[in-house]
Structures are given as C-alpha cells and as structure tokens.
Amino acid sequence: MTESIRWGILATGGIAHAFTSDLVQNGHKVQAVGSRSQASADAFAVEFGIPTAHASYAELVNDPEVDVIYVSTPHPFHAEHAALALNAGKHVLIEKPIALNAGEARQIVNLAASKNLLVMEALWTRFLPHLVRIREILAAGTLGEVRSLIADHTQDLPDDPAHRLNSLELGGGALLDLGVYPVNFAHAVFGSPDTILASASFKATGADAQVATIFRYPGGQIATTFSSSDTLGPTAASIIGTHGRIDIDGVWYAPTSFRVLDNGGTVLEAFAPAEFTGRGMQFEAVEVEELIRAGKISSDIMPAEESVAVMTTLDAVRAQIGLRYPGE
C-alpha cells in the first residue's frame, strides 16, 4: 500500500460533500468518487479535484487505486454498499447509523472480520477535540461516580413528505438521523442499558418526529435522550457525577466548548476547542488511516462491536414506539 491512504467516496449527497471537503482541506488523498450517474460523479470530482469519477458503485469499489471506501448513501443501503466494498477487498468507513438495524450491522461487522478488513461507523463526534478531553476527565475520576447523562438533538427540518428525512422507505425520522447521536453518547459513557423506556410522536408519513428515551444501567445509572425533527431545542448535553458535572454547550455533537463544575458551582475547567480547518470530520478520517497503517480492523474509540450494540439499543427503542421500516 502507498504511503497515502487513498479514499473512494461512494455517493455524492450532502454528507459526502461535507466529509470530502474536510478531507481535501486537510490534505487527505481522495482518489475516486462513484455515483449512480456519470454526470453526478463528474461534477463531484470537478468540485473537489478528484482524479477519477466512476458511473457506478461497483466500478468505484473495484478501482485498484482506492484503499478505503466512505459509504454515504441513505442508511437502508449501508449494508448492501458496505458489503460491495468489503467483497472487493476495501476497508470501509460507514456514515452513521452503521445500518438500518442490528441484524444488518452484525452482517457488516462479521463480513469485515472474515476479510480481515477495517470497518468503522462514521460517528464523527467521538473523535472531536472536546470529546477526547471529556474522556480524559471521566477517566481521571474528576466527577466522582458518574450517575447520569442528559442529551438532546433537536432540529427544525423540512416537513416536505417527499424529503428523505420524512420517508420510511429511506429510513428517515428523528431516531436514526438525530437520535443516534445522544444514544451513541450514552453508550460511550455507560455502555449498553439493561432497561429501556421510550415514547414517540409521528408525522403523517409514518416517520418519527419526536423520540424520548430513558435508559437504566446495571449500576443504577440513568441516561435520558430526546430527539426531534420538527422543533429546535438547545442540543446540549450534561454528564453528572457525585462530585460535579460537565455541561457541554450546543451544538454538543459538533466542535464546541464545555465546562466542568464541582457541586458548589465552581468552574474547574473551561474548554474551548483550538481552531482547525473544516467542520471536524477529518478527525475520524485520521483514525481510519492510522488503523489501516497499523493493520487493525476495529477502532478503540468507535469499536465495530459497539456499533452493533448501539443498533441493538435503537432496535429496542423502535420496538417500543412501534416503528418499522419497509422490508423489515
């Protein structure tokens, strides 16, 4: 393998634009892009200065000049397109959520392991500077015994029934598009819950508009999450322990600041991220490239098995609120 890890971008939607922009701005090698149409691939390639534009995903994954594929199609297609790349011998970074359900996630992870290839979910938040520092603070025991977590992800998104976010056929809705962030965050802090309570309201299309959850863990800890696609809230988060708490400013899942306070309200630390180029998605790309160079097939920060566990939790939430996608 060449010194530079060579990326292939599978699909040319909005999230692919955001990720590729961060790659290019930060000196990563984007070798090829694949789309369902040559015109779309060509336009994307021109926009980002990509050498090769393929008119199909199959051509992209079989490009010998590509080392790793970024899968950015809607999540009902993640399992299919990840398998396409893995069977072509390519490592994969899969946009969150890793799949539509835990069964698909398990298939992806098992296939990658059988091929000795890297698979990682592109949950970019875990790799951002403020989350790196928060993990250090938790590991140091600064908060004492961590007992609770509160996080929301709320956006006022388009109401158009034809929009992907409101389409059950495309996996749209608040839970998998937005709720995956706070649910994943709760997993990062506490692991898998042993008790799940969930409630939701729905749009006319059948897509979930609001989802609230309460998770309880074996040690008695509790995490609460709220996600909404039709109202804009603070999108903030807190981690609370016996000696103090961390308050993460909105938007908590993107590069932001936070404060560590003791129980008397004294600020023990005020964190503000240093300036960097781009949105921050390049940090997950750095992790992928380091893992590939090291010959590893799973990340310690976003383990493949934890992606399956998160999808298992999301499946349990969906079962409680009565949300099923076509074909399940």
Side-chain angles (χ1 to χ4, degrees):
M1 183 178 297
T2 58
E3 182 177 346
S4 294
I5 303 297
R6 300 163 300 181
W7 288 86
I9 309 299
L10 193 152
T12 56
I15 195 67
H17 277 79
F19 180 71
T20 304
S21 177
D22 277 3
L23 288 183
V24 172
Q25 289 185 76
N26 288 277
H28 298 268
K29 176 63 175 175
V30 183
Q31 177 64 34
V33 58
S35 177
R36 292 174 296 177
S37 76
Q38 189 68 60
S40 178
D42 287 342
F44 195 95
V46 169
E47 180 178 353
F48 294 108
I50 299 171
T52 308
H54 293 290
S56 73
Y57 301 149
E59 290 179 13
L60 172 68
V61 302
N62 286 292
D63 187 333
E65 299 299 314
V66 170
D67 303 307
V68 56
I69 299 291
Y70 170 64
V71 175
S72 66
T73 45
H75 26 280
F77 307 106
H78 285 180
E80 173 189 349
H81 295 147
L84 191 70
L86 291 166
N87 283 323
K90 300 298 193 291
H91 304 285
V92 287
L93 174 66
I94 308 170
E95 187 51 47
K96 58 78 195 160
I98 190 172
L100 194 64
N101 53 52
E104 290 185 354
R106 170 54 62 201
Q107 290 173 8
I108 293 169
V109 171
N110 287 354
L111 178 60
S114 73
K115 302 282 187 181
N116 197 36
L117 292 167
L118 170 71
V119 61
M120 193 180 90
E121 183 178 11
L123 206 297
W124 66 301
T125 302
R126 289 202 180 197
F127 303 91
L128 295 174
H130 69 292
L131 263 296
V132 173
R133 178 60 188 140
I134 285 172
R135 285 196 294 272
E136 294 171 347
I137 291 167
L138 295 179
T142 305
L143 302 187
E145 183 184 354
V146 178
R147 301 295 299 159
S148 56
L149 178 149
I150 305 167
D152 83 290
H153 186 179
T154 52
Q155 296 189 37
D156 187 10
L157 298 173
D159 287 326
D160 180 2
H163 195 285
R164 182 194 70 79
L165 292 167
N166 300 316
S167 169
L168 283 181
E169 288 75 15
L170 295 177
L175 183 64
L176 291 197
D177 273 290
L178 308 179
V180 64
Y181 282 100
V183 170
N184 192 292
F185 188 35
H187 266 261
V189 175
F190 293 130
S192 294
D194 63 359
T195 302
I196 296 172
L197 297 174
S199 185
S201 61
F202 294 85
K203 294 189 174 184
T205 63
D208 48 308
Q210 299 183 95
V211 182
T213 72
I214 301 174
F215 301 148
R216 189 180 185 279
Y217 300 86
Q221 305 93 335
I222 290 178
T224 63
T225 81
F226 178 70
S227 303
S228 172
S229 63
D230 60 5
T231 54
L232 180 61
T235 308
S238 294
I239 304 171
I240 305 165
T242 53
H243 296 165
R245 72 180 192 270
I246 299 173
D247 289 339
I248 311 174
D249 297 320
V251 174
W252 70 266
Y253 64 83
T256 192
S257 54
F258 69 80
R259 290 161 308 288
V260 184
L261 299 94
D262 66 17
N263 285 339
T266 299
V267 176
L268 304 179
E269 178 177 335
F271 177 92
E275 289 188 9
F276 55 81
T277 300
R279 184 172 182 240
M281 300 181 84
Q282 67 271 20
F283 295 112
E284 64 186 359
V286 170
E287 172 78 356
V288 167
E289 294 180 6
E290 290 179 351
L291 291 168
I292 291 173
R293 290 192 179 97
K296 297 182 179 180
I297 64 171
S298 184
S299 167
D300 291 336
I301 298 173
M302 186 67 253
E305 286 295 333
E306 190 167 352
S307 291
V308 177
V310 171
M311 289 309 307
T312 300
T313 297
L314 292 169
D315 283 358
V317 171
R318 288 204 292 123
Q320 287 202 18
I321 64 177
L323 175 60
R324 290 180 62 85
Y325 299 111
E328 285 192 307

